Amino acid sequence: MRRSGHLLRALALIGLLIAGPVFAVQPDEMLSDPAKEARARALSKGLRCLVCQNENIDDSNAALARDLRLLVRERIEAGDSDEEVLAYLVDRYGEFVLLKPGSGGWNWLLWAAGPLLFVFAAGTAAVYIRGRSRAAAPGEAGLSAEEERRLRDILDRQG
């Protein structure tokens, strides 16, 4: 019994290792030139699936991702460089198609927003805490002359 358990675990592990990662790229999409196919795969890993949004087109099974993979391969076959392929796709779909957009143009604001908001929040918290530590405790300030007079009037009426 114990021996068969080990055997089953070993077979399951071997099966997982053999299966490996499954890619959405179909055999009919692949280029015959291995160097060009490697370029297409490298470019596809940096392009966002416009349907899935947080998945690259190489791993997506969406029809639009397939169209984008074919478009990348067409541009490579046409002789475009990697930069030209990316520029073509950005012109057509906007920078959203890039999984890692550049930090130039207005994108610097998006890249800087997180750290700037953190600094602003830390500054606001520091001012608030400093103000609270300097404020007098509620009982320490005492009553004003007007407040003492009103308190005496209230106590006199009750007593």
Side-chain angles (χ1 to χ4, degrees):
M1 177 85 172
R2 184 177 177 142
R3 190 172 178 176
S4 64
H6 290 301
L7 182 62
L8 285 175
R9 285 187 194 135
L11 287 175
L13 181 62
I14 290 170
L16 288 173
L17 292 174
I18 290 173
V22 177
F23 297 108
V25 178
Q26 302 299 314
D28 63 328
E29 296 175 30
M30 293 183 183
L31 298 173
S32 58
D33 182 3
K36 287 182 180 179
E37 179 61 27
R39 281 182 53 209
R41 286 288 179 102
L43 286 172
S44 295
K45 295 236 182 265
L47 296 172
R48 179 189 316 274
C49 173
L50 301 173
V51 175
C52 308
Q53 295 190 4
N54 285 332
E55 192 172 24
N56 66 46
I57 64 171
D58 210 29
D59 295 336
S60 175
N61 286 319
L64 183 58
R66 176 180 166 81
D67 293 343
L68 287 173
R69 288 192 302 265
L70 291 172
L71 183 60
V72 166
R73 284 165 174 77
E74 285 174 18
R75 302 305 303 174
I76 289 174
E77 282 291 326
D80 287 359
S81 68
D82 292 355
E83 293 78 22
E84 289 171 330
V85 172
L86 292 176
Y88 178 81
L89 290 169
V90 168
D91 286 344
R92 193 167 185 185
Y93 297 102
E95 278 198 40
F96 183 72
V97 78
L98 301 176
L99 277 173
K100 294 180 183 174
S103 58
W106 283 99
N107 286 346
W108 69 268
L109 184 61
L110 294 174
W111 286 102
L116 289 176
L117 286 174
F118 176 75
V119 169
F120 176 74
T124 302
V127 168
Y128 176 76
I129 291 170
R130 181 181 246 177
R132 294 236 350 165
S133 66
R134 290 184 178 175
E140 292 178 11
L143 298 175
S144 66
E146 175 64 25
E147 290 171 334
E148 284 184 28
R149 186 189 60 73
R150 286 186 58 218
L151 181 59
R152 265 188 257 124
D153 288 345
I154 292 171
L155 291 174
D156 289 340
R157 281 188 224 146
Q158 288 180 357

